Amino acid sequence: MKLDSKIFDSIRVKPDKERKERMTEDRHPVCEHPGCKRPGTHKAPKGRDREGQYFHFCVDHVREYNKTYNYFTGMGDDDVRSYQKDSLTGHRPTWKMGVNRQAADGPDGFDARASMRGNAQRRAEQVRRPRERKLLTLEKRSLDVLNLPYTARGSDIKARYKELVKLNHPDANGGDRSSEDRLREIIQAYNVLKKAGFL
């Protein structure tokens, strides 16, 4: 067994640093940046129409290269747009729906999409009712104070509020303060509904 082999040195607890540097130089080509002698441990693409070809750079020079790299250099705006559009399908050809009639009908001649189209048409023709909002306890109590149904909204609430305030206000009752508590309840109920978005 050779004690100075590359393999043996890589499994040592404290490998020889000089030998390790020589090994990286042996394994990696020299950095391709002009004037740099460090090992080119990092690959950088050479560019469009040269797929699979790489430059070998050291860490500092690969960072510098990546900052200035642009795949679309030399391409017009229309070419870039068409490339990006084709990239949505992985640059594979696509066909419009119904072009391949045999595939559309299925192997037995039955069009599986016909029933789906019918179901979609029926759902579209149905009148959709707006979803009823679930009322909170405080909102229900507020509508009860105003003597309104739970389906009341906007203008109904405002009209009832104005009507009840006019009836229960002390000025409308000749200065009688007996209905003051009722007026306070009405105002609180209105504010709750206003904050909840009923108005």
Side-chain angles (χ1 to χ4, degrees):
M1 179 167 130
K2 292 187 198 175
L3 296 178
D4 62 340
S5 72
K6 294 179 188 178
I7 298 168
F8 186 74
D9 191 46
S10 65
I11 61 172
R12 286 187 184 181
V13 176
K14 293 183 180 178
D16 185 12
K17 289 183 181 178
E18 293 174 9
R19 183 175 293 152
K20 193 171 186 181
E21 288 173 9
R22 275 185 277 143
M23 283 175 50
T24 57
E25 290 172 6
D26 294 345
R27 269 192 259 160
H28 300 288
V30 177
C31 178
E32 292 184 43
H33 193 272
C36 184
K37 302 284 187 209
R38 294 192 305 191
T41 55
H42 300 282
K43 295 193 306 186
K46 287 192 176 184
R48 191 177 64 252
D49 300 329
R50 294 167 70 184
E51 280 78 9
Q53 299 176 13
Y54 300 96
F55 292 115
H56 294 277
F57 291 124
C58 62
V59 176
D60 297 330
H61 292 124
V62 80
R63 285 182 184 147
E64 184 181 320
Y65 179 80
N66 285 340
K67 285 180 184 176
T68 60
Y69 181 75
N70 183 1
Y71 183 82
F72 299 109
T73 301
M75 289 178 77
D77 290 342
D78 294 334
D79 296 333
V80 172
R81 272 193 286 279
S82 71
Y83 180 88
Q84 289 173 336
K85 184 181 178 188
D86 290 344
S87 69
L88 295 173
T89 59
H91 301 287
R92 295 187 180 112
T94 58
W95 293 271
K96 292 184 179 179
M97 293 293 287
V99 170
N100 188 350
R101 192 71 201 152
Q102 182 182 2
D105 289 345
D108 56 356
F110 174 73
D111 185 4
R113 289 176 284 176
S115 62
M116 288 190 286
R117 276 189 226 106
N119 290 340
Q121 185 69 28
R122 266 185 256 111
R123 280 194 301 266
E125 289 171 358
Q126 288 177 348
V127 177
R128 293 191 179 212
R129 289 181 290 155
R131 184 184 263 180
E132 290 294 323
R133 177 180 165 183
K134 187 175 180 182
L135 297 176
L136 301 175
T137 308
L138 193 56
E139 295 167 353
K140 287 180 183 177
R141 192 177 306 136
S142 299
L143 288 168
D144 289 339
V145 167
L146 297 175
N147 296 326
L148 288 169
Y150 293 152
T151 57
R153 295 289 182 265
S155 59
D156 297 335
I157 296 172
K158 281 183 183 179
R160 181 58 61 92
Y161 171 71
K162 287 179 183 179
E163 179 186 334
L164 291 175
V165 166
K166 285 179 184 177
L167 287 174
N168 294 296
H169 199 278
D171 291 345
N173 296 324
D176 184 19
R177 293 181 161 257
S178 62
S179 60
E180 204 171 90
D181 291 335
R182 172 80 175 131
L183 179 64
R184 204 172 288 123
E185 283 180 4
I186 292 167
I187 293 170
Q188 282 180 334
Y190 180 77
N191 288 334
V192 165
L193 295 173
K194 190 175 182 181
K195 284 181 183 176
F198 283 81
L199 304 173

